[in-house]
Each structure stands twice: as structure tokens, then as C-alpha cells.
Amino acid sequence: MRLFLAVLSACLAAEGQIPAQDARNVNLPNTDTHFTARTYKTLAEWQSRREVLRRQILSAAGLLPLFPKNDLHPQIFGRVEYQGYSIEKVLLETLPGYYLGGNLYRPLKAAPPQGFPAVLTPHGHWTNGRLEDTAICSVPARAINLARQGYVVLAYDMVGYNDSVQTPHDFGEKPVEQLWGFGSFGLQLWNGIRVVDFLETLPGVNPKMIGATGASGGGTQTYTLTAVDDRVRFSAPANMVSFTMQGGGVCENAPGLRLDTNNVEFAAMMAPRPMFMAAATGDWTRNMLKEEYPAVRAIYDLYGKGEDVEAMLLDAPHNYNQANREAMYAFFGKHVLGEKDPAKLKEQPFRAARITDMLALFNRTLPGNALSFQQLFDEWVRLAKEQTGNTRERLAVALAAEWPREVLSQVDGGRIVLGRPGIGDRIPGIWVKGSNPPVLVVDADGADAARRTPEVARLVDAGRSVLMIDAFQTGSAVAPRDRSVRNFLTFNKTDDANRVQDILTALAWLNAPHTRLVGLGKAAVWCLFAAAVSRQPVDLQADIGGFTGADQDYIDGFFVPGIQRAGGLRAARQLAGDR
């Protein structure tokens, strides 16, 4: 029944009608939803969408805007030489007091005048992290063979693995962490950005020829990095670009990350830079050749670069095995080394290094300024509070709020229903037509409660036009919403964020400068944030009472992940007051 209602709602919305039930209650995408490709008719349309997605990824990561980049203080030591390559241990201070561990693989031959190309190689959720060396996935195998072929390679940790021990691997699920965008997804993305910083300044590296490859969770790290950092010029995300599974780990599912999008769009943001996508029959990428690859290829075609994206489907389980790696070597060789003969890039045997030669913290301790987990969170918050920038944009992205280009309406006597074309939302209300400028009144208990207030009585007696709405999940619009679906907040906005959107939709329908916006009770906070991001100035009347902007206030009364990272109450007051 729920599926039927979702389909019905989508059909009605597509036809420009307001559905009988709000799609936000019946259409709840999650990790295992089977998504379909979105069509872009022009390059300009895609590039506009790409910029929206880039801001969304960075906001979900707690990185909008990026933090100031401290000195990495790179420590490179413990060099061991083998046949054609060397391995060194690396520690990078990617945030003040936070250290990322890894191994640097370099060719032994002299660097060409322009420097060697370089490759970041994040690992996935393999048991041994960057030291995983099995038939199904070997991080050392790909790093060593790439080094022998003429690349400088940095294999670096996921948070909580190997040498990167200052945090657990899975964190960011506590409400207070989510308010500040602090989680393993964001820290890993930041680490990837800082690894690019490290490689492009490393002697012997060509800073204009940096690539990335990883499988599984390392594939997620690869395409989210390439989505936000154009310095990565070639890539190979393996066994993770899928319409049918978006990532099971906490480090792949930050709140707000995939609102109205999916991993295939993230991967397509690599266009027009060369990219190779591997897939396997034994995992969620099994439809690559008929679903995901054509969708990504369509984006590359908009640039006239369709030949620069390739895909392969192996009859294998979830992997980054030898056949997978050799296909990657061939693709990189063709696009980076100018080597078109894959036979020359076959994987060569190697001698596994001792763990003592690989772990940066073997018989060593972290530097004296290394932070505890709580101290790292405090540092994240401190850095966030010091940033300014485009606060209206940051708040709007955190709220996932838009100013609708068009608003649908259905009026039946004094009752009204509003919605946005193609969205499927449904906002019931009461409409009393009178003189302008109009007044929008939002009560935490809905439109009927607002209509009974002395405030509305005075406005109606004065002959003013008054619109009262059932903001999301209030009044008569309260309906069941299954919040138990996997990674709910990654794919769905909170009730409070939806309420802000409903207020913006109502303001856009009124379409009158200096509309008076009245927030009653708890709705005062919703109205304040709506006024802050509104495209039109409003005359705000909202007493937020004891809401001080402390973390607990948001947890108890206005929960929106990332809202504190975006500037919180201070920014909202400043923006609403500037109108």
C-alpha cells in the first residue's frame, strides 16, 4: 500500500498536481532504494546541478566552507627499498593535533622533468585496512605495481584504522556531533583533500597529474573526493558506483549527504576527467553495464568526452582483485602514461613487507600535541565558530531549503493546499483574502490553532490577507513517517528542516516583499530560520523565548544536522535582521 501511495504521489506531482498524501511521509529513500538516472539535457543544466551537489557534499561533511589548512608537518621515515620501488612511513597533521597515517610508495628510477604522476589510494572496510593483502583485495599490490609503473602512491588510513587511532572508525551519530557536521565521513574527506595538498607539493611529483583509486568504502572516498576537488585528474572507484546500494557504513552516510541524489551522480561529477568504474556480479554493482555506466556516460557525453569513462563487470564477489587492478593499470596507463598496451602493465609479483616496516606508530608514539577524541571534536567546533563566509548559503544548504520557482495551489473556500511541482509535498492551510501586504502565521499546532489566536483575529478584523499553514507534521497534516529506514537522515530531511521549507513555499506563494511572518510558540524558531534564508525580505515577528542557540536547544527543539556548523542562531539572527 505504501509503495502504491508513493507511486501515485509521484505521478500526481509529475502532472503538476498536489498529491492526496505528502510524499515526504510515504516516499522515504534509504541505502537500499533502487534509484534511477536523472536526465540532463544540456551541459549548463548539469553544471548547475553539479555545483549544488558539491555544496551538499561539503555541507554534509561539515566542510562548508573548508577549514583553514594548517601546516601538515609531514613526517616521512623508515625508508625500505625493494626491486624498483621504495616504501616509507608517513604521518600527516591534517588538522591541528590530528594525525593521519600512511605509506608512501615511490619509483626508484629518476623522476622525469615534470615529475611522476601520483595516486591516492584509500582503502575500504577490509580487516587490515591499508595493509590488507589477500586474493580478494590487496592494497600493497596495487600501490607497489603502480610505483613500479612510474607513479608516486600514498596509501592512507580510514579513520580508526592502523595508525589513525585518535578516533574510532564509526562516529558522528550522536545528535551533538551531527549539529556540527562532525563525523567519520567528513574527517575522511578532509584527509583526502589534505593528502592531495601533500602530494602536489612533494618533490618529484607532477602536481597537475594526481589521481585516486579505491574499492568499496575506498571507492566512496574516491568519488566523493573527486566530486569536490578538481585537482584529482584521473580516478578509478571500484565496486561502489551503484543505484541499488549507497554504502552501509557510518563513514559513508553523513546526515544530508544524499538528499535527492545518489552515488551515481556523485561519481558523474568526475566528468570530464578520465574515470574507470569496476563492478562485480557478486555485489550491488552487478547492473553497471546496463544502468550505472550509461548514466555516467551520458554526463561525459555532455562534455564531448564520452570516451574518457569506461566500465568493466567481473564475474566475482565484492573485490579489488588482480583482474580488477590490472584493468585499472591499463586505464591509467592509457590516459596518464601514454601506454596503450595493457600487456606491458600486467601485475608483477612482489615480496610482502613486514608490518614493522609499514606501521608508522610501530615502537613510536603520536606527537605530543596529539588530541583526544573529545579534544578533536572541540577543535572542530572551534574552527567552525571562527569561520564566516556566505552564511545565508551555508544555512540554506544545511536546511536543504529552496525558494520555489513555482508553487501549486488548490483553494476551496477558506481552505488551501500548497505544493511544489515535481516534489510531491502537501501543505494544508487556511486562506483569508484581504488587503496587502499579506501576513503568514505559523503556529506549532497548525493552521486551525493559528486561526483561533487573538493575533489572527486582529489581523482579520483589520482586513489583512492572512495565510495560516500546517507546517510539516503539524495540525491536520500529521501522518506516520517511518524513521527506522537505514540511514534515514542521509536521505531524508528532519521534520524541522521540512517545516522551514514549508514556510518558504508559503512565502513564495504569497510573493510579496515585506510579508509579515508571524511565528507562534515553537514555530518562532522555524520562522526565524526561514526569514534568514528567504529570497524576499520579510517583516519577522517571532519570539523565540528561551531558545539560546545552545546545542541542547537544537536537540530538543529544532534538530537540523549541520545547523551549528552553518552558523546557527547567531547567523540566523544577523541575516533575518539585515532584511
Side-chain angles (χ1 to χ4, degrees):
M1 182 64 177
R2 179 173 294 168
L3 178 61
F4 170 77
L5 291 172
V7 172
L8 178 62
S9 295
C11 292
L12 290 172
E15 295 173 0
Q17 298 180 30
I18 301 173
Q21 293 195 49
D22 195 322
R24 295 171 294 182
N25 289 321
V26 296
N27 181 20
L28 299 169
N30 63 84
T31 295
D32 299 318
T33 296
H34 193 153
F35 293 91
T36 56
R38 187 188 298 235
T39 301
Y40 298 93
K41 296 180 180 179
T42 66
L43 180 58
E45 182 185 3
W46 162 250
Q47 288 178 323
S48 177
R49 171 67 171 168
R50 184 183 188 276
E51 184 54 33
V52 169
L53 292 174
R54 181 180 182 276
R55 290 193 297 267
Q56 182 169 316
I57 294 169
L58 289 173
S59 178
L63 298 176
L64 186 67
L66 295 178
F67 291 130
K69 293 181 177 180
N70 58 289
D71 193 316
L72 287 167
H73 297 121
Q75 299 181 39
I76 306 173
F77 56 95
R79 180 182 174 94
V80 180
E81 293 188 359
Y82 297 91
Q83 186 176 358
Y85 66 96
S86 65
I87 304 177
E88 294 159 286
K89 304 176 183 183
V90 176
L91 280 177
L92 302 177
E93 190 177 5
T94 61
L95 282 170
Y98 175 77
Y99 290 88
L100 172 68
N103 292 111
L104 186 64
Y105 298 75
R106 299 199 239 200
L108 289 183
K109 61 186 179 182
Q114 72 274 20
F116 291 115
V119 178
L120 301 80
T121 179
H123 63 82
H125 295 96
W126 314 104
T127 302
N128 297 308
R130 74 174 198 267
L131 306 183
E132 182 78 6
D133 183 23
T134 63
I136 203 167
C137 175
S138 174
V139 178
R142 70 176 182 255
I144 288 168
N145 278 274
L146 285 169
R148 283 173 167 171
Q149 292 166 20
Y151 302 85
V152 171
V153 181
L154 185 66
Y156 60 98
D157 294 332
M158 296 173 79
V159 298
Y161 277 74
N162 301 129
D163 293 306
S164 302
V165 296
Q166 291 167 264
T167 73
H169 176 62
D170 291 331
F171 67 95
E173 294 182 288
K174 294 180 180 178
V176 67
E177 294 170 341
Q178 293 175 342
L179 290 174
W180 291 96
F182 179 68
S184 48
F185 172 77
L187 185 55
Q188 286 183 173
L189 181 56
W190 177 252
N191 285 341
I193 293 169
R194 299 312 318 271
V195 168
V196 178
D197 294 337
F198 168 69
L199 288 174
E200 71 174 0
T201 59
L202 189 67
V205 166
N206 181 349
K208 303 298 184 183
M209 195 56 68
I210 294 175
T213 184
S216 192
T220 302
Q221 290 181 74
T222 297
Y223 58 67
T224 50
L225 175 64
T226 59
V228 302
D229 197 329
D230 290 339
R231 295 175 298 171
V232 182
R233 303 306 304 166
F234 55 98
S235 72
N239 293 80
M240 203 60 230
V241 180
S242 172
F243 276 129
T244 61
M245 205 285 283
Q246 305 302 300
V250 173
C251 75
E252 301 171 274
N253 286 287
L257 179 61
R258 297 187 189 85
L259 300 177
D260 194 32
T261 190
N262 55 74
N263 291 346
V264 180
E265 278 203 310
F266 290 166
M269 293 170 71
M270 181 68 186
R273 297 163 287 167
M275 178 172 65
F276 174 73
M277 300 180 295
T281 57
D283 69 16
W284 44 86
T285 58
R286 63 181 64 90
N287 299 325
M288 172 64 72
L289 299 184
K290 61 183 180 181
E291 291 190 32
E292 291 85 4
Y293 171 71
V296 175
R297 173 66 188 255
I299 301 302
Y300 274 78
D301 285 339
L302 293 175
Y303 291 92
K305 292 287 186 178
E307 70 282 0
D308 284 344
V309 61
E310 296 180 16
M312 174 190 72
L313 179 66
L314 284 176
D315 186 10
H318 190 59
N319 74 89
Y320 206 162
N321 63 20
Q322 182 173 341
N324 196 333
R325 296 190 297 269
E326 288 182 337
M328 175 267 291
Y329 303 148
F331 183 84
F332 283 5
K334 179 171 63 175
H335 288 274
V336 181
L337 303 179
E339 178 55 71
K340 297 183 179 180
D341 184 0
K344 295 182 179 179
L345 301 173
K346 291 292 184 181
E347 194 160 283
Q348 301 299 312
F350 65 94
R351 188 181 74 188
R354 297 177 301 176
I355 290 179
T356 57
D357 291 335
M358 302 291 282
L359 289 175
L361 295 182
F362 183 80
N363 283 338
R364 293 170 64 98
T365 59
L366 284 165
N369 71 331
L371 302 177
S372 68
F373 179 75
Q374 181 60 49
Q375 288 172 328
L376 180 62
F377 174 61
D378 294 342
E379 178 68 9
W380 188 279
V381 171
R382 182 189 70 80
L383 291 169
K385 287 181 176 179
E386 289 183 354
Q387 291 188 283
T388 53
N390 190 334
T391 51
R392 179 169 288 114
E393 175 189 79
R394 289 162 59 192
L395 282 177
V397 176
L399 290 160
E402 68 164 12
W403 186 262
R405 296 180 182 177
E406 179 185 356
V407 179
L408 302 174
S409 63
Q410 296 173 358
V411 180
D412 182 7
R415 294 287 171 172
I416 189 170
V417 181
L418 304 177
R420 291 171 291 164
I423 304 298
D425 49 357
R426 178 182 176 86
I427 312 166
I430 300 172
W431 171 234
V432 180
K433 188 171 177 57
S435 63
N436 287 327
V439 183
L440 172 59
V441 181
V442 186
D443 189 290
D445 292 322
D448 287 322
R451 184 66 180 88
R452 294 191 296 267
T453 62
E455 174 73 21
V456 169
R458 286 192 294 269
L459 290 167
V460 172
D461 289 345
R464 295 287 292 276
S465 292
V466 184
L467 174 62
M468 296 145 277
I469 63 170
D470 286 344
F472 188 68
Q473 291 289 344
T474 68
S476 62
V478 175
R481 196 179 192 211
D482 183 5
R483 295 172 178 81
S484 68
V485 297
R486 291 183 67 196
N487 302 310
F488 177 83
L489 290 178
T490 302
F491 299 87
N492 301 278
K493 295 198 293 186
T494 66
D495 292 356
D496 291 315
N498 278 314
R499 288 160 182 157
V500 171
Q501 179 59 61
D502 288 353
I503 295 167
L504 293 174
T505 301
L507 288 171
W509 181 77
L510 291 170
N511 194 29
H514 298 290
T515 295
R516 185 189 298 179
L517 174 58
V518 180
L520 303 176
K522 291 182 179 180
V525 177
W526 315 341
C527 290
L528 170 63
F529 279 88
V533 298
S534 172
R535 289 278 185 90
Q536 289 185 345
V538 299
D539 177 10
L540 180 64
Q541 180 182 320
D543 180 3
I544 63 173
F547 190 95
T548 65
D551 291 342
Q552 197 61 47
D553 289 339
Y554 287 102
I555 294 170
D556 294 339
F558 186 69
F559 186 66
V560 177
I563 198 70
Q564 288 281 58
R565 177 66 176 91
L569 181 60
R570 176 181 53 82
R573 277 177 161 161
Q574 180 183 12
L575 292 168
D578 285 345
R579 299 307 183 96

